[in-house]
């Protein structure tokens, strides 16, 4: 029998066990062997790891015999700082990320892999530079081929292929089908990239992990040496590990089996980065004798929110069964609102935010969460128009993205022909037109006519005859400048014109073109182009921002919100095709991750949770379409949600599903009043 496999010590007086609940104390007090801690959202995962470090030190383990692996250096530093308050020697505990650990090992022992100790670690920009040189050296690109994948796209595909451990052809087919015709060239680039790195003793971030694995796998003496050095291994956020990271854990702990991994299968949402849910599900099989500890007492949310999230994740196909509970009483039921369309959704969020702010809730205690960055486009316009200070997390603000600016610039020069910045932007989109030529054309326009005639004058310039693309631009601007043209029609005309330019100028054009589909739904809410342009560029005055206090309302993608929490949370666009996202609807595995995304979103809320699902959506080419409610909400048992009837402006009639959950208006009003006055 492995002498490290002990029952929990009868040592309730241990300082490291004080202040812990039963599940946390049990996990912390296990002396050795493999331990899997399934820590539900808000159950004190970090606290458990901190006390585990202190407990091991109390048992006489030397600090240098403990290795703590996290996904960020900041997380490790925070944990050890807290552990030092209980045991000063925690300062000497070894910690790091998977990448930093492998880097240290390769510096010390990389010669076993013919890697010199003075190798250079390169970043993504360096990789792109090498790839560009490989393309030129191997003459893989035909001169004048504007569709050839750019170095950034190639670097992304190569890295994704490695992290997912998927062949390059399959990776291209799955994630960049626009480059399928270039698959042989991409494979040649990948081969040349590897050779160039080897010649120059260069190592990229992915190499660190795979070479670290090779070192441990092929050199048993290294494994034995490290097993003597680190007697206990602690791993945070295990549900986010990819395949190679899971193998690294097995190699590091394979000799003594003293490994504790902490994570939550229900919060595994990073498959696009290579994270593998199976790692946490298979851990007990990889490490026989694993003690499984579930942390289910939640310290974040009120029980009605937990009841909802328990029901959402209970339908998951693969999971560890657990049921979160809290000992804090009360709290209103989460609400489900079904406004007619996106504009109704934005107004409902705006109203809810304004009510909470009026009740004295600080803006930084509020958040709006969504599946994709462009899902908040209409809401951003609404908040900006109302002067509500907000910050967007998870990508650029919608209206600040370059492709969005490109399209809006065409509309702006019609709304305001003296907007020279927008003129320069749309001119420089044309092939062969740089800043100098753009300035010359703008100067010619100024000389040719008074400002109101700029658009018409463009078609008569000498340069227009020399540059055919200028003629196309002139015809577009003349079309959308007609007074009878609505903002919606003008926007769709610009999108049709802009699509080939987007394809030529951006290697990730499929994503950008999808995001551009949101613009018509914004434009259709305005009667004049000038009004549309004024609203989308309006910035709240500094004085208004100061009136809101130092904090801001948070808009965030769900992926970026993981690990964070707010008192009051709104989750928008909970309809089929948005969450779950359209590409996942026919992929059972991807759909399971979409369920976990909703779970993560809802578990961010402490006091109140509002879910919004518009009934219809305007999309270019299809017009108004009905949007089915998110399937993960359709499957819920009754009694978990309030579904108030909307006002006549937004209501399109109750559905049989809604009738199951509907509550009397008086109950809803009381619930909302309770939430509006809630304090943390």
């Amino acid at each position: 029998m492995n002498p490290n496999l002990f029952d929990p010590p009868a040592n309730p007086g241990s300082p490291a066990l004080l202040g812990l609940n039963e599940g946390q104390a049990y996990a912390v007090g296990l002396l050795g062997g493999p331990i899997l801690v399934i820590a539900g959202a808000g159950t004190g995962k970090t606290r458990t790891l901190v006390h585990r470090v202190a407990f091991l030190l109390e048992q006489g383990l030397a600090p240098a015999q403990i290795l703590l692996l996290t996904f960020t250096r900041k997380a490790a530093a925070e944990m050890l700082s807290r552990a030092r308050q209980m045991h000063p020697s925690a300062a000497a505990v070894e910690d790091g990320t998977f990448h930093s650990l492998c880097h240290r090992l390769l510096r010390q022992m990389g010669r076993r892999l013919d890697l010199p100790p003075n190798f250079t670690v390169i970043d993504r920009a360096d990789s792109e530079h090498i790839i560009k040189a490989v393309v030129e050296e191997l003459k893989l690109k035909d001169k004048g081929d504007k569709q050839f994948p750019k170095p950034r796209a190639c670097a992304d595909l190569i890295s994704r292929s490695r992290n997912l451990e998927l062949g390059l052809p399959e990776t291209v087919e799955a994630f960049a089908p626009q480059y399928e015709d270039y698959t042989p060239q991409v494979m040649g680039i990948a081969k040349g990239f590897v050779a160039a790195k080897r010649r120059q003793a260069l190592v990229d971030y992915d190499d660190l992990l795979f070479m670290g694995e090779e070192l441990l796998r092929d050199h048993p003496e290294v494994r034995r040496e490290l097993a003597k050095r680190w007697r206990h291994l602690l791993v945070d956020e295990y549900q986010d590990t990819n395949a190679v990271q899971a193998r690294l854990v097995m190699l590091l702990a394979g000799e003594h089996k003293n490994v504790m991994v902490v994570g939550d299968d229900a919060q595994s949402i990073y498959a696009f980065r290579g994270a593998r849910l199976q790692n946490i599900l298979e851990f007990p099989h990889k490490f026989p004798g694993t003690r499984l500890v579930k942390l289910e007492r939640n310290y974040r949310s009120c029980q009605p929110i937990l009841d909802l999230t328990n029901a959402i994740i209970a339908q998951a196909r693969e999971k560890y069964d657990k049921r979160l509970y809290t000992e804090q009483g009360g709290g209103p039921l989460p609400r489900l609102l079904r406004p007619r369309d996106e504009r109704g959704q934005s107004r409902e969020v705006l109203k809810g935010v304004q009510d909470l702010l009026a009740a004295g809730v600080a803006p930084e205690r509020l958040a709006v969460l969504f599946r994709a960055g462009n899902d908040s486009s209409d809401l951003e316009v609404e908040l900006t128009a109302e002067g509500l200070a907000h910050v967007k997390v998870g990508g650029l603000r919608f209206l600040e993205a370059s492709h969005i600016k490109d399209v809006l610039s065409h509309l702006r020069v019609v709304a305001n022909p003296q907007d020279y910045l927008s003129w320069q932007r749309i001119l420089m989109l044309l092939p062969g037109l740089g800043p100098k030529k753009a300035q010359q054309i703008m100067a010619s326009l100024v000389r040719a006519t008074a400002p109101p005639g700029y658009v018409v004058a463009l078609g008569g310039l000498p340069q227009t005859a020399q540059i055919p693309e200028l003629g196309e631009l002139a015809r577009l601007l003349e079309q959308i400048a007609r007074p009878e043209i609505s903002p919606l029609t003008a926007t769709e005309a610009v999108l049709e014109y802009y699509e080939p330019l987007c394809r030529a100028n951006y290697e990730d054009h499929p994503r950008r073109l999808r995001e551009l589909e949101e613009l018509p739904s914004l434009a259709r809410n305005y009667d004049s182009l000038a009004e549309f342009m004024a609203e989308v560029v309006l910035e709240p005055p500094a004085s208004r921002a100061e009136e809101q206090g130092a904090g801001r309302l948070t808009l965030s993608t769900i992926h970026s919100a993981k690990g964070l929490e707010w008192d009051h949370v709104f989750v928008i666009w909970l309809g089929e095709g948005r969450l779950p996202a359209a590409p996942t609807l026919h992929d059972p595995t991807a759909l399971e991750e979409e369920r976990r995304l909703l779970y993560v979103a809802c578990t961010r809320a402490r006091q109140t949770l509002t879910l919004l699902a518009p009934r219809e959506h305007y999309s270019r080419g299809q017009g108004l379409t009905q949007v089915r409610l998110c399937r993960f909400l359709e499957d819920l048992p009754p009694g978990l949600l309030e579904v108030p009837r909307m006002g006549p402006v937004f209501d399109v009639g109750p559905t049989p599903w809604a009738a199951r959950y509907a509550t009397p208006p008086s109950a809803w009003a009381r619930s909302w009043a309770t939430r509006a006055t809630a304090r943390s």
Side-chain angles (χ1 to χ4, degrees):
M1 172 181 282
N2 188 329
N4 288 306
L5 298 179
F6 294 101
D7 289 329
N11 187 14
S14 165
L17 299 179
L18 298 178
L20 300 177
N21 65 37
E22 184 178 0
Q24 293 169 339
Y26 180 77
V28 168
L30 291 167
L31 284 182
I35 306 165
L36 170 60
V37 180
I38 299 297
T43 58
K45 166 183 68 69
T46 299
R47 182 180 180 84
T48 301
L49 280 170
V50 167
H51 283 252
R52 175 67 174 172
V53 170
F55 180 82
L56 291 175
L57 294 172
E58 283 180 10
Q59 308 312 304
L61 207 66
Q65 292 180 305
I66 302 172
L67 175 62
L68 172 63
L69 288 178
T70 62
F71 272 81
T72 66
R73 292 181 180 179
K74 180 180 178 182
E78 178 188 344
M79 289 182 194
L80 294 184
S81 174
R82 290 168 58 178
R84 282 199 301 272
Q85 297 174 16
M86 290 183 283
H87 205 291
S89 66
V93 169
E94 292 205 48
D95 66 281
T97 65
F98 282 93
H99 289 85
S100 66
L101 170 67
C102 290
H103 176 257
R104 294 201 302 268
L105 295 179
L106 291 173
R107 289 288 183 198
Q108 298 165 7
M109 296 175 269
R111 285 199 181 278
R112 290 176 169 85
L113 307 180
D114 295 324
L115 181 69
N118 63 339
F119 65 87
T120 299
V121 179
I122 58 175
D123 61 16
R124 179 52 62 89
D126 296 323
S127 296
E128 292 172 17
H129 183 77
I130 295 170
I131 286 171
K132 182 179 179 182
V134 168
V135 171
E136 293 172 354
E137 179 184 351
L138 300 181
K139 296 181 172 56
L140 294 172
K141 178 182 177 182
D142 294 334
K143 191 173 183 180
D145 185 356
K146 294 183 179 179
Q147 303 303 315
F148 193 91
K150 292 180 172 56
R152 176 177 296 180
C154 293
D156 286 342
L157 285 168
I158 293 169
S159 179
R160 186 172 297 219
S161 171
R162 299 191 72 189
N163 280 287
L164 295 176
E165 301 191 13
L166 189 66
L168 256 178
E170 292 78 12
T171 304
V172 173
E173 179 183 2
F175 299 100
Q178 69 271 26
Y179 297 135
E180 279 193 88
D181 291 343
Y182 295 98
T183 299
Q185 290 93 325
V186 173
M187 295 180 69
I189 291 169
K191 186 176 180 180
F193 180 50
V194 170
K197 289 187 295 180
R198 184 178 296 123
R199 286 196 306 268
Q200 302 173 59
L202 305 177
V203 174
D204 65 24
Y205 294 142
D206 298 328
D207 294 329
L208 289 172
L209 297 182
F210 286 99
M211 295 181 80
E213 179 192 15
E214 182 182 355
L215 177 67
L216 293 170
R217 183 192 64 222
D218 297 347
H219 298 276
E221 75 282 2
V222 172
R223 290 200 305 275
R224 288 192 292 269
E225 179 183 340
L226 296 180
K228 292 178 181 177
R229 184 194 305 184
W230 297 313
R231 299 296 301 163
H232 280 263
L233 176 63
L234 309 178
V235 186
D236 189 20
E237 302 285 11
Y238 194 68
Q239 79 281 346
D240 292 336
T241 54
N242 60 20
V244 66
Q245 289 165 334
R247 293 195 297 269
L248 282 167
V249 169
M250 289 191 65
L251 289 166
L252 287 166
E255 298 288 326
H256 49 64
K257 307 293 192 301
N258 294 327
V259 53
M260 172 186 279
V261 301
V262 181
D264 183 6
D265 54 296
Q267 297 187 70
S268 179
I269 59 173
Y270 294 115
F272 67 95
R273 295 180 185 170
R276 187 173 177 270
L277 173 67
Q278 301 308 119
N279 288 350
I280 197 166
L281 297 177
E282 295 171 354
F283 185 86
H285 305 290
K286 301 292 185 181
F287 287 91
T290 292
R291 266 73 59 84
L292 173 62
V293 185
K294 298 178 184 178
L295 303 184
E296 297 175 297
R297 181 180 174 184
N298 180 280
Y299 294 90
R300 175 186 300 159
S301 306
C302 61
Q303 191 61 50
I305 293 175
L306 297 180
D307 290 340
L308 172 66
T309 57
N310 285 334
I312 289 171
I313 207 64
Q315 303 299 321
R317 291 187 308 162
E318 295 182 289
K319 64 183 183 299
Y320 287 102
D321 290 325
K322 57 182 178 297
R323 188 164 187 84
L324 301 184
Y325 70 93
T326 180
E327 295 189 358
Q328 55 180 322
L333 287 176
R335 285 204 307 168
L336 172 65
L337 303 182
R338 299 229 53 198
R340 183 178 65 194
D341 56 14
E342 184 173 20
R343 176 49 54 93
Q345 173 178 255
S346 298
R347 289 175 178 171
E348 285 296 323
V349 172
L350 179 63
K351 178 182 180 300
V353 167
Q354 290 174 329
D355 286 351
L356 288 166
L357 293 176
V361 177
E364 63 268 21
R365 289 161 56 189
L366 314 177
V368 182
L369 307 182
F370 35 86
R371 172 66 174 80
N374 55 301
D375 285 344
S376 65
S377 54
D378 185 84
L379 178 60
E380 290 179 52
V381 172
E382 196 79 16
L383 293 171
T384 300
E386 289 294 317
L388 289 178
H390 56 279
V391 59
K392 185 172 180 179
V393 182
L396 290 171
R397 285 166 50 93
F398 180 76
L399 297 174
E400 293 175 351
S402 58
H403 51 297
I404 305 297
K405 286 186 174 182
D406 289 346
V407 170
L408 293 180
S409 292
H410 292 82
L411 301 173
R412 286 173 180 154
V413 299
V414 171
N416 176 18
Q418 291 180 284
D419 185 344
Y420 301 121
L421 186 62
S422 292
W423 271 110
Q424 184 171 28
R425 187 177 192 98
I426 66 175
L427 289 170
M428 288 178 59
L429 285 171
L430 303 180
L433 268 178
K436 187 174 181 180
K437 282 188 179 180
Q439 291 288 344
Q440 291 173 351
I441 292 172
M442 287 189 289
S444 298
L445 288 173
V446 172
R447 291 193 299 268
T449 181
Y454 281 0
V455 171
V456 177
L458 180 63
L461 293 179
Q463 293 96 328
T464 305
Q466 301 167 9
I467 306 175
E469 290 83 358
L470 276 176
E472 294 178 29
L473 175 60
R475 287 188 289 275
L476 168 73
L477 297 180
E478 184 177 4
Q479 173 191 353
I480 65 177
R482 295 171 188 163
E484 71 272 16
I485 296 295
S486 69
L488 172 58
T489 303
T491 301
E492 291 185 325
V494 174
L495 288 175
E496 183 177 355
Y497 163 85
Y498 178 70
E499 181 173 341
L501 294 174
C502 183
R503 292 181 182 277
N505 289 320
Y506 298 107
E507 67 267 22
D508 58 345
H509 57 79
R511 174 185 65 82
R512 295 177 187 265
L513 288 172
R514 285 194 300 271
E515 292 180 356
L516 287 168
E517 297 293 337
E518 298 298 316
L519 281 176
S521 64
L522 291 178
R524 68 187 293 264
N525 296 302
Y526 299 92
D527 295 323
S528 74
L529 196 57
E531 180 190 8
F532 180 32
M533 290 298 95
E535 288 292 326
V536 298
V537 301
L538 183 65
E539 289 292 340
S543 58
R544 293 290 296 277
E546 291 169 3
E547 290 172 6
Q548 302 298 333
R552 295 182 177 184
L553 165 70
T554 298
L555 309 182
S556 176
T557 62
I558 300 170
H559 287 99
S560 297
K562 184 173 174 293
L564 304 177
E565 57 188 68
W566 295 269
D567 288 353
H568 308 279
V569 171
F570 301 80
V571 188
I572 62 175
W573 272 123
L574 293 178
E576 295 286 292
R578 307 300 284 256
L579 199 167
T584 71
L585 296 180
H586 303 291
D587 182 340
T589 300
L591 269 175
E592 286 296 288
E593 180 154 316
E594 296 293 296
R595 180 185 295 277
R596 297 193 294 271
L597 267 175
L598 178 59
Y599 174 84
V600 168
C602 294
T603 53
R604 301 307 96 199
R606 297 190 191 104
Q607 298 178 13
T608 71
L609 174 65
T610 304
L611 310 177
L612 296 103
R615 296 178 185 268
E616 59 187 36
H617 175 57
Y618 178 86
S619 60
R620 183 184 173 207
Q622 294 183 326
L624 283 175
T625 57
Q626 296 298 307
V627 181
R628 174 190 160 193
L629 180 67
C630 168
R631 66 185 66 193
F632 311 131
L633 297 177
E634 280 188 334
D635 294 341
L636 294 174
L640 297 176
L641 288 168
E642 289 185 10
V643 187
R645 281 185 58 89
M646 309 294 290
V649 174
F650 306 110
D651 187 31
V652 296
T655 65
W657 183 92
R660 296 168 58 198
Y661 301 95
T663 55
S666 58
W668 164 58
R670 289 195 300 271
S671 172
W672 182 241
T674 300
R675 286 184 288 171
T677 57
R679 295 290 189 273
S680 62

